[in-house]
Amino acid sequence: MNKQQGFTLLSVMILTTMTSIIVLSSLRDNFIQERLTGNYQKKMNARLVSEKGIFDTHKRVLAELASNPVTTLEQLINDTLGENNYITGRAQTDDMSYATRLGVNSDGLLELSSDGKRFEGANNTVALFRLRKGGAASTFGSAIIGCEGVGLGASGRIDSYNSDEGDYDASTASANSGVTTIHHDSDINLTGAADVWGSIAATGSINLGGSAKIYGDAHANHNIVIDAGPGSPDLPEGFDSDITVGGDVLAIGNVELIQNQVGGVIRTMGDLYLGSGSSTKVRNQDNNGLDVMYRGELTHRGNALPFQYYQNDVPYTDAMFNQSPNVPSVPEVDPNNLPEDHDYQDPATNCDPIGISTVVDEFKDATASDLLLTRGQTVYEVTPRGGQLVSGWESWMGEEPAALSTYSETLPSGELVNMLKVKDFTVNGGGFKVSGGDVYMLVDGDFTIGTSGTTVFEIEAGSSLTIYVTGKTTIKKPVISEQGMSDGGVPVFSIYSSYTGKDGVVIDATGSLYAAIYAPETDAKVAASGGLMGSIRAKTVSLSGDTGIHYDTRLGEVGNVTTCCGTTSLEFVGWRYL
């Protein structure tokens, strides 16, 4: 009995010891778990407060960007930090804080690096942003932009060059020009012999007649008709004279290849019609898959399908060609039905991205008077500081033109400039000279360069003239100037017209002219026999006679020189947690 009682006591002691060990182990595990949970909580809180540092700093950066949209990344960082090395702050409790550094990484991205802390918990969060500069897309991004239509009935060439490399020379011209429309359902018609050394894109239809040829693609939101005959051999190197469209033919509507050849392929979301001439064909020179693809029906002239409409012995009528090619649409806008998120400053989808009427209204001055230079041998000179008659005036000529003072005005780009202001401005028999730098001028009336033999309109080397016009612009004699940019980086001669009537810009000069023309609310008609170097953006554009347009690609490279189109913004790239 005593032995049994001793065993029972021993068993109880062993069980008690084991239970104590388990309890102590559990307490230790709970303590460790509690510490781990606490550390994790501190780590999470540190991450949250570090993210708060990113968001708070991002708001400050955006505020600085809004006040100076033409800034650089380095300047934006300096403006945000001020005299501090960090942006610091706290959460709702004093034991949660952040310190955010700003910098530019090796990829040129804005880096916001935020260190968050709560007690022993620490976390680093990095957010990367790309600075998207407004105005990167130029209002002069193509040779011809006819918002509501383009008519090319001229015989001159539409090609390109870079004025940084010298004046235009037909023998060294490049094929980087372009012709496009913007408003919904606007057509491009080529009826003359004006070869386009580039691509054309229409929000409506494209009609190729006459003997015109296109070096690049023909892209339309509606139909494309190719019915152009033989033309000039004056084409880029490697371009066969039998080809009408050197690139691809892309249409959301129907395509008619009535005569001549396509160098690329045909893709149409509608029907395809093929002419029967033996020389009419689709070359597919780059071996870009199927020669043709059409979602609708294929029809052709004659009973039997001509031999040239086969690919690897398979006729174009075969089902393999009859499939949807998913042709992308040309960017367009319906001014009467704009989407809620429409960017009114995007040159690709707005005819008037700078709002020219509003801009010009801000410049108007009721006290301005006419500047009429109609007397031979007289010279009127303007500079960024003012304008005055400098020679040639005699008493019998009557009252001499008044001197012009400048007014401080802000351009759409935000740049502050001196501006001369007049009502009607006519040079027809007199001399007009621009010198001393970049000159800005408001013509609150008509601007005319007449045909008188003694008329001289000259822009000195290194200088430029930018004219804002409310009335009609008529140029019947060339402007003497260099080509390209002034020493200040401004196009040598620019015309911004707010005129809303018909035919607001007419250029009918004998000789060459360099100009960047912006006339989104009126028609531009060009018949300059020597050609126009530069670019045209207008409501409609029509070319006739011997006119050629020689696009200066420098205009596209510099973006908007005197305008600021598109909003400068920060584009989020990604997170990084450390």
Side-chain angles (χ1 to χ4, degrees):
M1 183 69 179
N2 292 332
K3 290 182 178 180
Q4 291 180 347
Q5 288 177 346
F7 178 78
T8 301
L9 179 59
L10 180 63
S11 299
V12 170
M13 291 177 66
I14 291 172
L15 290 173
T16 301
T17 302
M18 292 179 63
T19 302
S20 298
I21 292 172
I22 293 172
V23 169
L24 290 173
S25 177
S26 178
L27 288 173
R28 178 177 176 274
D29 289 344
N30 287 340
F31 179 72
I32 292 173
Q33 187 64 41
E34 183 178 349
R35 290 194 64 179
L36 289 174
T37 301
N39 289 338
Y40 178 74
Q41 186 65 39
K42 293 171 186 175
K43 180 74 173 177
M44 285 301 299
N45 287 338
R47 173 172 169 173
L48 292 173
V49 75
S50 72
E51 290 180 355
K52 176 176 171 56
I54 294 292
F55 294 130
D56 290 350
T57 305
H58 181 243
K59 289 180 181 178
R60 294 180 64 165
V61 172
L62 290 179
E64 292 295 338
L65 184 61
S67 65
N68 184 14
V70 295
T71 188
T72 63
L73 267 182
E74 290 77 9
Q75 186 62 48
L76 182 61
I77 291 171
N78 291 335
D79 292 342
T80 303
L81 289 173
E83 297 180 356
N84 304 310
N85 295 322
Y86 302 90
I87 300 295
T88 59
R90 295 185 178 278
Q92 294 180 351
T93 60
D94 291 339
D95 52 24
M96 294 176 64
S97 63
Y98 65 79
T100 305
R101 299 183 301 276
L102 291 81
V104 180
N105 70 5
S106 58
D107 295 324
L109 302 176
L110 173 64
E111 185 175 275
L112 305 185
S113 178
S114 178
D115 292 318
K117 291 188 67 177
R118 190 190 183 199
F119 298 125
E120 297 85 1
N123 180 269
N124 176 258
T125 303
V126 176
L128 301 174
F129 297 87
R130 180 179 290 108
L131 184 66
R132 289 290 187 188
K133 298 288 288 183
S138 173
T139 52
F140 301 116
S142 294
I144 298 173
I145 302 170
C147 305
E148 296 184 8
V150 177
L152 305 180
S155 59
R157 200 165 79 184
I158 301 171
D159 53 17
S160 61
Y161 77 111
N162 189 329
S163 59
D164 275 357
E165 300 172 359
D167 290 350
Y168 172 76
D169 184 343
S171 65
T172 59
S174 58
N176 296 313
S177 65
V179 180
T180 186
T181 61
I182 293 177
H183 287 179
H184 175 69
D185 202 17
S186 299
D187 301 336
I188 298 176
N189 296 300
L190 286 79
T191 58
D195 298 326
V196 178
W197 287 32
S199 297
I200 63 175
T203 55
S205 297
I206 295 174
N207 298 290
L208 301 178
S211 59
K213 299 183 184 300
I214 301 170
Y215 181 78
D217 297 335
H219 188 183
N221 286 350
H222 294 304
N223 305 322
I224 298 178
V225 177
I226 303 172
D227 191 15
S232 167
D234 184 22
L235 297 165
E237 184 177 353
F239 192 99
D240 194 314
S241 61
D242 291 331
I243 294 176
T244 294
V245 179
D248 298 332
V249 174
L250 312 169
I252 294 178
N254 304 322
V255 172
E256 295 183 44
L257 178 58
I258 297 173
Q259 61 173 322
N260 234 327
Q261 301 177 14
V262 172
V265 299
I266 294 178
R267 301 287 187 262
T268 171
M269 301 288 285
D271 299 332
L272 174 60
Y273 172 83
L274 299 171
S276 61
S278 60
S279 63
T280 304
K281 64 177 65 175
V282 182
R283 290 196 177 186
N284 193 2
Q285 297 177 128
D286 295 331
N287 296 314
N288 184 19
L290 299 176
D291 292 350
V292 302
M293 291 175 65
Y294 53 93
R295 189 171 67 177
E297 297 182 353
L298 185 147
T299 57
H300 56 87
R301 188 174 180 180
N303 296 323
L305 184 70
F307 70 92
Q308 68 267 30
Y309 298 140
Y310 284 72
Q311 185 176 5
N312 298 326
D313 298 325
V314 180
Y316 289 173
T317 52
D318 189 86
M320 67 181 287
F321 299 97
N322 188 199
Q323 56 179 298
S324 177
N326 295 319
V327 175
S329 62
V330 176
E332 67 173 20
V333 65
D334 182 352
N336 300 316
N337 187 24
L338 296 174
E340 290 185 3
D341 60 348
H342 182 67
D343 182 355
Y344 290 87
Q345 294 180 312
D346 181 1
T349 55
N350 291 278
C351 188
D352 182 17
I354 71 171
I356 187 63
S357 294
T358 301
V359 169
V360 172
D361 284 347
E362 292 292 326
F363 297 157
K364 289 182 178 180
D365 181 1
T367 64
S369 58
D370 296 340
L371 180 60
L372 308 178
L373 308 177
T374 58
R375 298 292 189 179
Q377 310 306 317
T378 60
V379 178
Y380 196 96
E381 184 173 8
V382 295
T383 72
R385 296 168 298 280
Q388 62 181 349
L389 189 71
V390 294
S391 66
W393 197 268
E394 298 183 11
S395 59
W396 62 266
M397 295 178 179
E399 184 178 357
E400 68 180 49
L404 294 176
S405 300
T406 61
Y407 298 79
S408 182
E409 295 289 356
T410 302
L411 300 179
S413 63
E415 180 184 3
L416 192 66
V417 300
N418 291 329
M419 184 172 290
L420 308 173
K421 300 183 180 183
V422 300
K423 289 293 186 181
D424 288 342
F425 176 31
T426 299
V427 183
N428 189 25
F432 181 78
K433 184 177 182 180
V434 180
S435 65
D438 299 322
V439 175
Y440 296 87
M441 190 172 188
L442 170 68
V443 178
D444 192 9
D446 294 338
F447 169 44
T448 305
I449 302 178
T451 58
S452 173
T454 56
T455 299
V456 176
F457 198 109
E458 179 182 3
I459 302 173
E460 277 194 349
S463 297
S464 72
L465 177 63
T466 301
I467 298 183
Y468 292 88
V469 187
T470 64
K472 285 192 171 185
T473 296
T474 305
I475 299 177
K476 292 185 173 293
K477 198 163 186 178
V479 173
I480 301 171
S481 72
E482 291 188 334
Q483 298 178 24
M485 303 294 140
S486 69
D487 291 344
V490 180
V492 168
F493 185 39
S494 303
I495 299 171
Y496 289 83
S497 173
S498 65
Y499 187 70
T500 58
K502 294 188 63 176
D503 303 337
V505 177
V506 176
I507 300 176
D508 188 11
T510 302
S512 299
L513 171 71
Y514 185 96
I517 299 172
Y518 184 94
E521 298 182 5
T522 190
D523 314 296
K525 293 188 173 183
V526 184
S529 61
L532 174 72
M533 279 70 71
S535 176
I536 302 176
R537 173 185 284 257
K539 181 178 180 181
T540 67
V541 179
S542 60
L543 273 61
S544 60
D546 298 330
T547 301
I549 302 293
H550 312 300
Y551 175 54
D552 182 5
T553 58
R554 184 75 174 92
L555 292 172
E557 292 172 6
V558 298
N560 297 280
V561 179
T562 56
T563 66
C564 181
C565 306
T567 303
T568 301
S569 61
L570 280 180
E571 177 185 278
F572 178 68
V573 175
W575 293 99
R576 189 169 73 241
Y577 294 96
L578 301 175

